[in-house]
Amino acid sequence: MSKIRARAQTHFPAVLLTLISIIQALALELMWSKILESDWLWVFGIQAIIGWGMILGVFMGILQVWVMYSTMVMGFVWQPSLRDSIIPFIIGLQQFMLVALVGEQFSTLWLYVLGSIFVTGNWVSHNSFRRARQNPENDEFFGKTNPATLRDFWPAMSIVTALVVFGIVIDVTQNQTWLPILALIFSNGVLILQTFMFRRMWRSIMGLNEMSLDEEEIT
């Protein structure tokens, strides 16, 4: 059984990244088709501004999922489970829904779906990191990192709560101008921030932060 487990750990990263890349490619294709089919995006106005904000959110979401998985798979080793091969399909469906909800009339369902992607992404990363901590090959990284506590989940919970609150307020007020724009600015800002956070983690995994400190000491 140990040989089977070792073989699974060896081939799992390539299989998972291939699956993720296919799903993200399909999401990009759907997004591009939505852009070409939506003539209203090319007519300057409030609807076009909101529409391009949603398109940017979709694109940043696709990048976020790819960065998350590529960082985890190439940076850590953990015992794969069957759900690791199933969850990417769920995330893919959520992304496809996000693209489908892009329309001339802003739908708050777009915000709710984006919030569900944040929930799924954080659940995936937490479970993967928890199993990776148990593998001795990752001790160099996790030896310097404390286990996650409830406080570490507050940022993700705050983001999801904010998206839901934005959606409820827009539904109640029926505002189709500045409130959707404000919600999209918040959404895209959070996605960009998340990408930089994964960039920081990647530099930590690769030891680039330590290299930078050594170079500063030399100079």
Side-chain angles (χ1 to χ4, degrees):
M1 295 299 292
S2 60
K3 292 182 178 179
I4 297 175
R5 185 162 53 248
R7 187 165 62 248
Q9 287 184 344
T10 300
H11 296 290
F12 171 71
V15 173
L16 185 58
L17 279 185
T18 300
L19 176 60
I20 288 296
S21 63
I22 292 173
I23 293 174
Q24 299 315 293
L26 289 173
L28 281 173
E29 184 178 355
L30 285 175
M31 184 191 74
W32 184 249
S33 298
K34 173 68 70 171
I35 293 174
L36 295 179
E37 295 169 359
S38 304
D39 295 335
W40 53 273
L41 286 173
W42 307 99
V43 179
F44 182 77
I46 193 68
Q47 287 81 13
I49 293 174
I50 294 174
W52 282 111
M54 297 172 76
I55 292 293
L56 179 59
V58 171
F59 181 69
M60 291 303 304
I62 293 172
L63 287 182
Q64 178 70 20
V65 171
W66 170 253
V67 169
M68 179 186 72
Y69 269 103
S70 60
T71 300
M72 291 192 306
V73 170
M74 290 188 284
F76 304 101
V77 178
W78 71 87
Q79 183 64 43
S81 63
L82 182 61
R83 68 185 175 197
D84 289 320
S85 301
I86 297 176
I87 296 298
F89 290 99
I90 297 176
I91 295 178
L93 288 174
Q94 291 173 312
Q95 290 178 315
F96 299 161
M97 290 175 61
L98 206 62
V99 176
L101 288 169
V102 175
E104 189 170 1
Q105 187 76 9
F106 181 78
S107 173
T108 53
L109 286 176
W110 191 90
L111 295 174
Y112 301 144
V113 172
L114 181 61
S116 71
I117 294 177
F118 272 103
V119 172
T120 306
N122 276 272
W123 182 80
V124 168
S125 60
H126 171 66
N127 277 275
S128 300
F129 289 148
R130 181 171 53 82
R131 282 177 287 160
R133 180 179 288 275
Q134 300 171 359
N135 195 305
E137 294 187 37
N138 305 311
D139 286 346
E140 185 176 357
F141 177 83
F142 287 106
K144 307 174 184 177
T145 307
N146 295 324
T149 62
L150 182 61
R151 180 181 299 179
D152 296 310
F153 294 97
W154 275 113
M157 290 189 290
S158 299
I159 292 170
V160 175
T161 301
L163 291 173
V164 172
V165 169
F166 269 122
I168 293 175
V169 172
I170 292 172
D171 282 333
V172 171
T173 62
Q174 294 298 308
N175 186 289
Q176 286 288 318
T177 53
W178 66 271
L179 268 179
I181 291 177
L182 187 61
L184 290 170
I185 291 174
F186 172 79
S187 302
N188 286 291
V190 167
L191 288 169
I192 293 172
L193 180 62
Q194 290 274 75
T195 303
F196 277 104
M197 290 176 63
F198 273 108
R199 176 179 178 271
R200 182 180 178 183
M201 177 182 291
W202 179 258
R203 290 180 63 86
S204 179
I205 294 171
M206 295 292 104
L208 295 178
N209 291 336
E210 296 178 1
M211 291 172 58
S212 298
L213 290 175
D214 292 341
E215 291 173 1
E216 289 179 2
E217 291 177 359
I218 294 173
T219 56

